[in-house]
Amino acid sequence: MTIESINPATGEIIKTFKADSPSEVKAKIEAAEKAFKSWRETSFDERAKYMRKQADILEQEAEKYGRIITLEMGKPLKDAIAEVKKCAKACRYYADNAADFLKDEIIETDASKSMISFEPLGAVLAIMPWNFPFWQAYRFLAPALMAGNVGLLKHASNVPQCALAMEEIVRESGFPADVFQTLLIGSKEVEAVIENPIVKAVTLTGSEGAGAQVAGIAGREIKKTVLELGGSDAFIVLEDADLDKAAEIAVKSRMVNTGQSCIAAKRFIVVESIADAFLEKMKTKMSSLKTGNPLTEEADYGPLARKDLAEDLEKQVKASVEKGAEIVLDGGRNGDDSAYFKPMILKNVKPGMPAYEEEMFGPVAAVMVVKDEDEAIKIANDSRFGLGGAVWTQDKERGLRVARKVETGAMFVNALVASTPEMPFGGIKKSGYGRELSYLGIREFVNQKSIWVA
């Protein structure tokens, strides 16, 4: 089996890699176990030294690694460089805070001393997606290694150069051998890795289907999982919103990563009294965006990561229009056979349409007009997903009230939904369970051990 690195902007095969054989995978897992025995004994100060060095490399070589991201999955180079630099921020955050997050927590009981101790588990498998190929992996890598675990990365098969680059960065940062390794394997080989008794836990960012499969295997093996799956984030615009700002962020939120983000705004729920004005502003801003070669400064957005993803999105749009959705801003593939997909806006989106029921993983905005705040909340919650969302109103207390009522893992008031090291990230319902980032994220893959001294 070979793994291909393909430039989605051109369709060119950049590089091919021989997949790891079963014996090579087994050897890597055994090497991880050996590395863990000594790594778990290191101090937080020692781990932080390597982690800060890693942050330095990411910052100094951001353009080099950003170019690899752009070539493999198509996002504009400026966005790829920003992604690499964001990874450095996560490394510094956990280097600075891990010792405090994982220090013994003293609990008052009738013992002479009682506490919760946070101890590493061992080898943790990370199954990561292609849309943010560095950031998704680093928000696992940084806390896992700082907690004293070792990491095994099974990255998406279309970003092998990104996966190997991260292994290279860890090595150059001075971490001991085999503390973090990449497994070049396909999805069919994942089950055997999870079943290996050396692997203690699994984290996955990906599709709902992939999450269900991984959770099933891990459940059978009685192993901890964290799942960050799809999202169909609501972007609620109330009648007292600042429409210029809301429309500006609406377009930015829908178009982040060419719409290929689990926390991109996807369902725009707008109160009818301001719907026409908002929609016109959104249409004007979205239609002004430029595409092209993602390696150039001029491109606001690039191609989708693969041609088949553009084909799937096109099918979702066509099915929604056939069921009554109205095209406000026309775009799509323009009959070509590439991975490029121009932005679109659909309105009159109703239940039963793919644009209403499914995640649209690309630059298509689905607009739903509602009577008032109560109906907006009802529509926002009428989704099997629950990852993120936003509400726009000039009354901050009202915004907070709505934010509490929308069923998601995160709600933003008058702001772009984003992930940041300081705040926990994850969803509910079919968007998964568990949390990444913040102190909650580093505590997902540790043994929270009760210790009681009589």
Side-chain angles (χ1 to χ4, degrees):
M1 176 184 169
T2 58
I3 295 175
E4 295 180 334
S5 175
I6 299 174
N7 183 344
T10 64
E12 170 196 6
I13 298 176
I14 308 167
K15 215 168 186 179
T16 60
F17 299 87
K18 178 181 172 292
D20 291 338
S21 68
S23 61
E24 288 170 326
V25 171
K26 183 172 180 288
K28 286 184 176 183
I29 295 173
E30 290 172 351
E33 182 180 40
K34 182 179 178 181
F36 173 64
K37 289 178 180 177
S38 56
W39 180 244
R40 69 174 302 166
E41 301 302 327
T42 57
S43 67
F44 284 111
D45 285 344
E46 184 176 353
R47 297 171 198 167
K49 177 180 68 174
Y50 303 134
M51 195 62 69
R52 292 191 181 100
K53 175 63 176 175
Q54 187 167 204
D56 291 341
I57 293 172
L58 288 164
E59 289 169 345
Q60 293 161 7
E61 303 289 342
E63 184 169 353
K64 170 187 171 181
Y65 294 116
R67 185 170 288 270
I68 295 172
I69 293 172
T70 297
L71 287 172
E72 286 204 305
M73 61 73 56
K75 73 175 61 181
L77 180 58
K78 57 189 175 184
D79 296 338
I81 292 171
E83 178 179 336
V84 176
K85 291 181 177 179
K86 187 175 182 179
C87 296
K89 181 181 177 182
C91 290
R92 294 196 193 284
Y93 177 76
Y94 281 108
D96 292 344
N97 294 290
D100 198 40
F101 291 158
L102 298 180
K103 68 182 179 182
D104 291 345
E105 185 176 332
I106 304 301
I107 306 295
E108 293 298 325
T109 68
D110 58 2
S112 63
K113 190 174 186 179
S114 49
M115 69 187 78
I116 302 170
S117 175
F118 302 96
E119 301 174 3
L121 296 178
V124 182
L125 172 65
I127 304 168
M128 293 290 115
W130 46 261
N131 57 336
F132 292 91
F134 265 59
W135 172 241
Q136 302 276 16
Y138 266 95
R139 66 192 200 195
F140 150 76
L141 186 163
L145 267 56
M146 282 304 303
N149 293 309
V150 296
L152 295 166
L153 173 64
K154 188 285 178 206
H155 220 322
S157 294
N158 58 327
V159 289
Q161 291 190 79
C162 290
L164 292 169
M166 282 179 274
E167 185 178 286
E168 173 189 90
I169 294 167
V170 170
R171 187 168 56 249
E172 289 182 4
S173 303
F175 284 90
D178 306 320
V179 163
F180 179 83
Q181 299 175 85
T182 284
L183 306 178
L184 287 179
I185 59 176
S187 57
K188 292 180 181 178
E189 286 69 51
V190 168
E191 182 170 1
V193 177
I194 298 174
E195 289 174 340
N196 190 304
I198 293 171
V199 175
K200 304 303 182 187
V202 188
T203 180
L204 175 140
T205 298
S207 69
E208 184 183 338
Q213 286 185 313
V214 165
I217 299 165
R220 189 176 69 228
E221 297 298 317
I222 316 181
K223 294 182 180 181
K224 173 74 178 289
T225 53
V226 168
L227 302 180
E228 194 266 279
L229 309 178
S232 189
D233 286 11
F235 189 101
I236 299 171
V237 185
L238 300 177
E239 72 280 356
D240 62 344
D242 178 336
L243 294 190
D244 288 326
K245 187 66 174 177
E248 176 191 343
I249 300 301
V251 173
K252 185 176 181 181
S253 186
R254 177 60 282 198
M255 292 302 298
V256 64
N257 207 29
T258 316
Q260 300 168 112
S261 169
C262 49
I263 51 170
K266 297 181 179 115
R267 297 177 299 137
F268 296 84
I269 303 168
V270 189
V271 171
E272 60 185 351
S273 61
I274 47 89
D276 290 343
F278 173 79
L279 198 52
E280 189 59 36
K281 291 177 185 292
M282 186 179 177
K283 179 181 176 182
T284 299
K285 292 178 184 296
M286 190 172 276
S287 59
S288 70
L289 299 176
K290 298 180 180 65
T291 191
N293 183 347
L295 289 171
T296 67
E297 286 292 325
E298 292 74 34
D300 294 311
Y301 65 95
L304 298 191
R306 299 193 310 265
K307 187 175 74 172
D308 63 296
L309 298 170
E311 293 169 349
D312 291 344
L313 186 61
E314 184 177 51
K315 290 174 185 176
Q316 289 176 304
V317 170
K318 285 183 176 179
S320 298
V321 171
E322 287 170 2
K323 291 176 179 289
E326 180 183 338
I327 297 174
V328 174
L329 175 63
D330 205 358
R333 303 185 70 204
N334 292 336
D336 64 22
D337 194 38
S338 74
Y340 281 91
F341 196 105
K342 292 183 178 178
M344 299 186 71
I345 299 175
L346 306 178
K347 74 173 184 178
N348 297 329
V349 174
K350 306 288 184 184
M353 299 177 183
Y356 187 98
E357 306 288 350
E358 301 171 7
E359 180 176 26
M360 303 279 276
F361 215 62
V364 179
V367 178
M368 305 155 199
V369 178
V370 296
K371 296 191 301 293
D372 55 23
E373 174 188 313
D374 289 340
E375 188 179 4
I377 295 168
K378 179 181 177 183
I379 296 297
N381 289 336
D382 188 25
S383 171
R384 69 178 188 271
F385 298 109
L387 191 57
V391 56
W392 289 80
T393 169
Q394 295 191 68
D395 181 342
K396 291 184 180 179
E397 287 304 313
R398 185 186 190 191
L400 183 58
R401 182 178 70 239
V402 172
R404 292 185 185 279
K405 292 181 179 179
V406 178
E407 298 163 353
T408 64
M411 277 295 289
F412 284 61
V413 180
N414 298 333
L416 176 77
V417 179
S419 58
T420 182
E422 300 86 355
M423 293 287 284
F425 183 85
I428 60 172
K429 300 195 280 189
K430 295 295 185 179
S431 289
Y433 52 75
R435 292 294 179 266
E436 298 175 291
L437 303 176
S438 85
Y439 74 93
L440 295 180
I442 199 171
R443 290 184 178 184
E444 286 283 5
F445 294 120
V446 293
N447 175 17
Q448 300 182 31
K449 180 189 287 185
S450 293
I451 298 178
W452 175 286
V453 181

